[in-house]
Amino acid sequence: DVVMTQSPLSLPVTLGQPASISCRSSQSLVHSDGNTYLNWFQQRPGQSPRRLIYRVSNRDSGVPDRFSGSGSGTDFTLKISRVEAEDVGVYYCMQGTHWPRTFGQGTKVEIK
Amino acid sequence: QVQLVQSGSELKEPGASVKVSCKASGYTFTTYAITWVRQAPGQGLEWMGWINTNTGNPMYAQGFRGRFVFSLDTSVSTAYLEISSLTAAETAVYYCAKSTQCDNWGQGTLVTVSS
């Protein structure tokens, strides 16, 4: 199975400051169709997960543009340009290229 | 808009079975797979598998073969997760999500296994 490794696992941030989460995969996530299926999810406290980013860098509908995704191959990053109070929660990456799908361990974002 | 509405919380005794439903609306049900994800208390997300809503063919992750069954009723746009011979280790929130890329999620169903 593809192992997804996130860092850091805990990320205290100051409101208005940027934040960055890394996600590394144990194998390349480039699919045979040429796409790279790397997704990012946000799970606010007490809520269901919500997909923020698909195929590395595409924002889902309604996702604020302060969220951005980048990367290629096995190395990916989620960035929040200016953290707001509503961004508190746990962020997960998930690879959607190989079977079985696999999630990262999660990164808990909290306000300092 | 796309919605996945799951059935309510369940409290079951060890050894019992439970069936969780996931009713989809806002899109053509048979166009996208349904994925199932487990989240144990205080833990991360665990991919359980998925079911092809066109063929009914399920695929299970390694740890979810045998006592876990995915099924469909396409006439009511609903997917089901049934778990038999429950143990305390199955106490978790179970989520359904649309497609193999999990683009929309249900609200989750808490299954508690306790005597």
Side-chain angles (χ1 to χ4, degrees):
Chain A
D1 297 359
V2 177
V3 177
M4 305 297 288
T5 303
Q6 290 183 228
S7 62
L9 299 185
S10 177
L11 184 55
V13 295
T14 302
L15 287 172
Q17 293 301 300
S20 180
I21 300 170
S22 169
C23 175
R24 290 193 166 96
S25 59
S26 60
Q27 297 176 34
S28 172
L29 300 186
V30 180
H31 194 275
S32 56
D33 66 7
N35 290 309
T36 300
Y37 295 97
L38 186 284
N39 304 286
W40 287 98
F41 300 88
Q42 174 195 61
Q43 187 175 31
R44 290 171 171 153
Q47 294 188 13
S48 304
R50 165 200 182 195
R51 196 177 71 175
L52 298 176
I53 302 283
Y54 63 96
R55 273 188 272 125
V56 181
S57 59
N58 297 275
R59 271 189 304 276
D60 274 280
S61 176
V63 174
D65 61 6
R66 64 179 181 275
F67 290 94
S68 63
S70 63
S72 63
T74 61
D75 201 348
F76 305 93
T77 302
L78 175 70
K79 290 183 179 172
I80 310 173
S81 59
R82 291 173 306 279
V83 171
E84 298 190 6
E86 66 179 18
D87 301 335
V88 164
V90 182
Y91 293 77
Y92 297 92
C93 59
M94 184 198 86
Q95 64 83 14
T97 296
H98 303 284
W99 300 107
R101 306 308 196 211
T102 43
F103 289 94
Q105 318 96 298
T107 295
K108 186 173 185 178
V109 172
E110 56 187 10
I111 304 301
K112 275 185 194 174
Chain B
Q1 77 283 19
V2 172
Q3 271 197 304
L4 298 173
V5 178
Q6 297 185 227
S7 48
S9 298
E10 301 269 9
L11 173 60
K12 295 291 183 181
E13 292 193 347
S17 295
V18 68
K19 194 168 186 176
V20 175
S21 67
C22 169
K23 183 170 176 59
S25 61
Y27 70 99
T28 302
F29 182 67
T30 51
T31 302
Y32 297 94
I34 292 290
T35 294
W36 289 95
V37 175
R38 181 169 78 177
Q39 187 168 39
Q43 301 300 307
L45 303 174
E46 188 175 14
W47 189 86
M48 299 173 65
W50 67 288
I51 185 164
N52 185 318
T53 54
N54 198 36
T55 65
N57 187 43
M59 178 187 181
Y60 302 96
Q62 184 70 30
F64 297 96
R65 293 171 191 167
R67 295 185 297 111
F68 296 79
V69 177
F70 305 149
S71 61
L72 303 169
D73 184 344
T74 56
S75 69
V76 289
S77 300
T78 300
Y80 301 94
L81 163 64
E82 186 165 16
I83 313 170
S84 59
S85 302
L86 285 162
T87 71
E90 274 84 60
T91 293
V93 176
Y94 292 85
Y95 293 102
C96 62
K98 172 176 161 278
S99 90
T100 61
Q101 305 297 334
C102 301
D103 50 39
N104 288 273
W105 293 62
Q107 84 274 23
T109 296
L110 173 62
V111 174
T112 303
V113 183
S114 174
S115 54

